Amino acid sequence: MKVMIRLFALLAALALVIPGSHAQTLVGAQAQRSPQADAFLAYEKALLAGGLDAARPYMTPAKVDDLQGMAKAFGDDGFKQFLDRMRSGAQGEARRKQIEKVEVSGDYAVLEARDDPHTVTVQHLAKTADGWKVSVRR
């Protein structure tokens, strides 16, 4: 009988710990109001308003390197065109409404925002000591 009680206690403890380590999918309003959505929107707003330097606080170092490489490869004019295309889309609360799904797995998340009927932005995020930040694919 003591073995059964210990086994039950162990299973109960595992049940409390395991859900936090499993993936969770947020959709609709839950995804749109998530900390990951807030980080994504802050990143886009800063990037559009002030470029790479302004967006730096909202990115992991790997994402900073990634965007700097992209800017270098595209050149100044190409990177400006990239930002202009972003500016032509929804921003602020309208952009928030485009967020359809956030898949969270521990300290990593993937956000999906529907830009138009045929285009989905997929953004990777990582949880850091400073909160959620836009990241590169892990």
Side-chain angles (χ1 to χ4, degrees):
M1 185 69 174
K2 286 185 180 182
V3 172
M4 291 300 286
I5 291 173
R6 285 184 184 164
L7 181 60
F8 179 74
L10 178 63
L11 290 174
L14 283 174
L16 293 174
V17 173
I18 289 175
S21 65
H22 280 24
Q24 178 183 21
T25 300
L26 310 175
V27 295
Q30 193 178 19
Q32 293 166 1
R33 294 291 172 200
S34 68
Q36 297 84 8
D38 292 342
F40 169 71
L41 294 170
Y43 155 77
E44 282 196 342
K45 181 179 180 179
L47 186 63
L48 294 176
L52 286 172
D53 288 336
R56 188 178 301 270
Y58 305 101
M59 297 185 281
T60 63
K63 184 63 176 182
V64 172
D65 291 345
D66 183 54
L67 273 187
Q68 286 175 333
M70 186 178 85
K72 186 176 180 180
F74 287 174
D76 290 339
D77 288 340
F79 194 70
K80 182 184 177 308
Q81 290 174 9
F82 164 74
L83 293 177
D84 288 344
R85 279 193 305 275
M86 285 181 68
R87 283 186 191 97
S88 70
Q91 297 176 34
E93 289 304 305
R95 182 66 165 151
R96 184 182 299 276
K97 290 178 183 176
Q98 292 179 331
I99 297 171
E100 294 182 334
K101 179 169 67 170
V102 178
E103 291 184 16
V104 183
S105 181
D107 291 342
Y108 181 75
V110 179
L111 177 146
E112 293 182 10
R114 172 120 355 234
D115 302 329
D116 61 50
H118 307 289
T119 309
V120 175
T121 293
V122 176
Q123 186 61 69
H124 301 265
L125 298 108
K127 189 172 186 179
T128 70
D130 298 323
W132 286 95
K133 294 188 178 212
V134 171
S135 184
V136 294
R137 178 181 225 139
R138 67 173 168 170

